[in-house]
């Protein structure tokens, strides 16, 4: 059904508008919310100016937003439910704006600012029956129409109802829908707040697990460093023992070589003696010394392979493979961590005689 358009629609009934206005009243200034409107963690709304006044009254030492000093935040109680609201250093400017309520306020003000004229001037006229006012509503076609359309026109077989009745009904439905939308927005905001808390908890738990993971690997590295030091000490001891033995043999052979060289030098000088009697006086003693020197048995030399240190080789492939299998264990609890810490403390308190066995030393 077509009808002439050009007149402004009638305002909603005063009761529905009054109900909507009551939902838009600030509990502090008792007037309609003035933008910007902020939503508290308890899901109640306040004018940001009113919220700032309450916050400043509860925190007189808090620095204003334009101050250069660094503030640590503050707290105040919601005037509607007395829930304590904790704010960061941004104060009320850190609260989230309720854009839905602000949009509803704009719509309400637009509707309220429309000029009121007589109903005769506001009625729409039927396009098919130009002299007839739109005064009924076709329930079958869901469009406004006039009485002649119901009697003679396209809606003669349709079910109709008075226009004011349907008008009030739909205005009431729209008002209820707006209220439900506002309530739904509060629930969505509550869910958002809960999910933000979940995000913060995830970050805290991840940070804690990272610290524990670093501690575990630092402990593992400390064990490897400790064992490496023990094995290096065993290798150094074996090296020193072997070097001392070989150097002792070198000194023994060196002493024998020096004594033998001196004896050879004395024997050569004696052979150069031209007087036979004088030569014979010394010859017997030199002959005996040379014979004795040639029969001296020196200590045995190091056996073949004595210089080898292969027995100190370490195979770490299987340990590396085992380390690569380290993975997370979801079932691990904090009690196991405490037990491990206690176990480490017991081991650190052991006496010096409880040392780990060194690597096998080489043969001398």
């Amino acid at each position: 059904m077509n009808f002439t358009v050009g007149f402004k629609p009638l305002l909603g009934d005063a009761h529905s508008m009054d109900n909507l206005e009551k939902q838009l009243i600030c509990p502090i200034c008792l007037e309609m919310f003035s933008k910007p409107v902020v939503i508290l963690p308890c899901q109640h709304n306040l004018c940001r100016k009113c919220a700032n006044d309450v916050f400043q009254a509860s925190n007189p030492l808090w620095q204003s937003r334009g101050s250069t000093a660094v503030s640590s935040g503050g707290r105040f109680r919601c005037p509607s439910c007395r829930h304590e609201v904790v704010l960061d250093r941004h104060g009320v400017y850190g609260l989230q704006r309720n854009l839905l309520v602000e949009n509803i306020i704009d719509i309400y003000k637009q509707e309220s600012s429309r000029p009121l004229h007589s109903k005769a001037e506001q009625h729409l006229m039927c396009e098919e029956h130009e002299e007839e006012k739109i005064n009924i509503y076709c329930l079958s076609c869901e469009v406004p129409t006039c009485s002649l359309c119901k009697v003679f026109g396209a809606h003669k077989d349709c079910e109709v109802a008075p226009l004011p009745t349907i008008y009030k009904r739909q205005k009431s439905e729209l008002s209820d829908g707006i209220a439900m939308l506002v309530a739904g927005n509060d629930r969505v905001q509550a869910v958002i707040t809960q999910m933000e808390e979940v995000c913060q908890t995830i970050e805290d738990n991840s940070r804690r697990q990272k610290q524990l993971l670093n501690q575990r690997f630092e402990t593992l590295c400390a064990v490897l460093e400790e064992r490496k030091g023990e094995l290096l000490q065993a290798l150094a001891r074996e090296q020193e023992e072997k070097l001392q033995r070989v150097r002792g043999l070198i000194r023994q052979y060196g002493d024998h070589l020096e004594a033998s060289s001196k004896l050879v030098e004395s024997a050569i000088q004696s052979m150069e003696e031209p007087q036979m009697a004088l030569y014979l006086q010394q010859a017997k003693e030199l002959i005996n010394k040379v014979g004795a020197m040639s029969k001296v048995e020196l200590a045995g030399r190091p056996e073949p392979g004595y210089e080898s240190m292969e027995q100190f080789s370490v195979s770490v492939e299987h340990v590396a493979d085992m380390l690569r299998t380290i993975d997370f264990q979801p079932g691990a609890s904090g009690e196991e961590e405490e037990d491990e810490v206690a176990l480490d403390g017991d081991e650190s308190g052991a006496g010096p005689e409880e040392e780990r066995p060194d690597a096998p030393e080489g043969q001398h």
Side-chain angles (χ1 to χ4, degrees):
M1 177 66 188
N2 295 325
F3 50 89
T4 303
V5 179
F7 297 97
K8 295 182 178 179
L10 291 173
L11 290 176
D13 61 280
H15 180 70
S16 298
M17 296 298 286
D18 289 342
N19 288 339
L20 180 59
E21 183 178 0
K22 291 178 181 179
Q23 301 298 323
L24 302 177
I25 296 299
C26 174
I28 296 177
C29 62
L30 300 179
E31 296 180 0
M32 184 173 294
F33 290 118
S34 59
K35 295 190 296 185
V37 180
V38 294
I39 182 169
L40 305 181
C42 58
Q43 308 307 309
H44 289 112
N45 299 294
L46 297 175
C47 308
R48 187 159 70 187
K49 180 182 180 302
C50 296
N52 191 52
D53 292 341
V54 175
F55 177 64
Q56 294 286 353
S58 301
N59 302 269
L61 300 180
W62 190 82
Q63 299 291 337
S64 63
R65 194 181 189 193
S67 174
T68 57
V70 178
S71 177
S72 59
R75 59 188 66 202
F76 69 96
R77 293 191 176 275
C78 171
S80 298
C81 65
R82 309 304 298 166
H83 176 78
E84 187 176 51
V85 180
V86 181
L87 301 181
D88 59 12
R89 60 186 180 87
H90 299 291
V92 296
Y93 294 92
L95 292 172
Q96 184 176 358
R97 292 178 61 178
N98 195 332
L99 299 180
L100 178 59
V101 172
E102 293 182 8
N103 292 335
I104 293 174
I105 292 174
D106 292 338
I107 296 173
Y108 177 86
K109 290 182 176 180
Q110 290 175 4
E111 290 290 332
S112 300
S113 64
R114 290 181 177 179
L116 294 175
H117 301 286
S118 64
K119 292 187 177 181
E121 294 177 346
Q122 293 294 326
H123 273 308
L124 300 179
M125 310 304 291
C126 180
E127 191 174 69
E128 294 185 6
H129 309 94
E130 296 180 357
E131 300 299 325
E132 288 295 323
K133 300 175 182 178
I134 302 296
N135 56 1
I136 60 175
Y137 186 85
C138 178
L139 299 176
S140 302
C141 301
E142 297 185 345
V143 292
T145 185
C146 71
S147 300
L148 292 182
C149 288
K150 169 59 180 172
V151 178
F152 306 106
H155 300 280
K156 61 181 180 180
D157 297 326
C158 299
E159 182 181 357
V160 298
L163 191 63
T165 302
I166 304 301
Y167 175 79
K168 293 180 181 180
R169 180 192 304 170
Q170 293 192 2
K171 278 288 186 176
S172 177
E173 291 177 359
L174 181 58
S175 177
D176 294 341
I178 292 174
M180 291 179 61
L181 189 58
V182 172
N185 180 69
D186 293 343
R187 289 193 296 269
V188 171
Q189 182 61 45
V191 173
I192 292 175
T193 302
Q194 292 177 355
M195 290 190 292
E196 289 175 347
E197 294 175 354
V198 170
C199 290
Q200 183 62 41
T201 303
I202 290 174
E203 293 178 353
D204 295 340
N205 291 339
S206 298
R207 188 181 305 109
R208 175 177 175 273
Q209 291 305 120
K210 288 177 181 178
Q211 293 176 351
L212 292 176
L213 188 62
N214 287 330
Q215 292 175 2
R216 294 290 179 85
F217 274 84
E218 288 173 359
T219 301
L220 188 59
C221 292
V223 172
L224 292 175
E225 287 294 329
E226 179 184 0
R227 187 55 182 163
K228 182 181 74 172
E230 294 173 351
L231 295 178
L232 288 175
Q233 289 179 0
L235 178 58
R237 286 196 299 268
E238 180 69 10
Q239 171 189 341
E240 186 63 25
E241 291 178 3
K242 287 191 174 185
L243 289 176
Q244 288 180 0
R245 182 189 174 197
V246 174
R247 286 168 180 168
L249 292 175
I250 291 174
R251 287 192 298 270
Q252 183 178 352
Y253 275 81
D255 294 342
H256 176 76
L257 180 60
E258 182 180 359
S260 177
S261 298
K262 289 181 179 180
L263 183 58
V264 168
E265 184 179 354
S266 298
I268 292 174
Q269 291 177 356
S270 177
M271 291 181 65
E272 293 176 353
E273 178 61 45
Q275 298 182 12
M276 290 184 292
L278 187 58
Y279 169 77
L280 290 175
Q281 288 179 353
Q282 301 176 356
K284 186 62 175 177
E285 182 179 0
L286 286 174
I287 292 172
N288 291 335
K289 288 183 178 180
V290 170
M293 182 64 71
S294 62
K295 294 179 181 179
V296 171
E297 294 184 0
L298 299 174
R301 295 183 298 173
E303 59 274 9
Y306 182 76
E307 68 279 5
S308 175
M309 302 292 282
E310 293 297 328
Q311 67 272 27
F312 289 93
S313 298
V314 176
S315 176
V316 296
E317 286 77 9
H318 64 289
V319 179
D321 293 339
M322 181 182 66
L323 291 176
R324 293 188 185 96
T325 63
I326 295 177
D327 203 348
F328 297 108
Q329 295 180 349
S333 62
E335 297 179 356
E336 296 179 355
E337 299 168 3
E338 296 176 358
D339 293 343
E340 292 181 1
V341 172
L343 183 59
D344 293 341
D346 295 340
E347 292 180 353
S348 61
E353 69 279 357
E354 299 179 2
E355 298 179 352
R356 295 183 178 178
D358 296 327
E361 300 180 355
Q363 298 180 354
H364 300 288

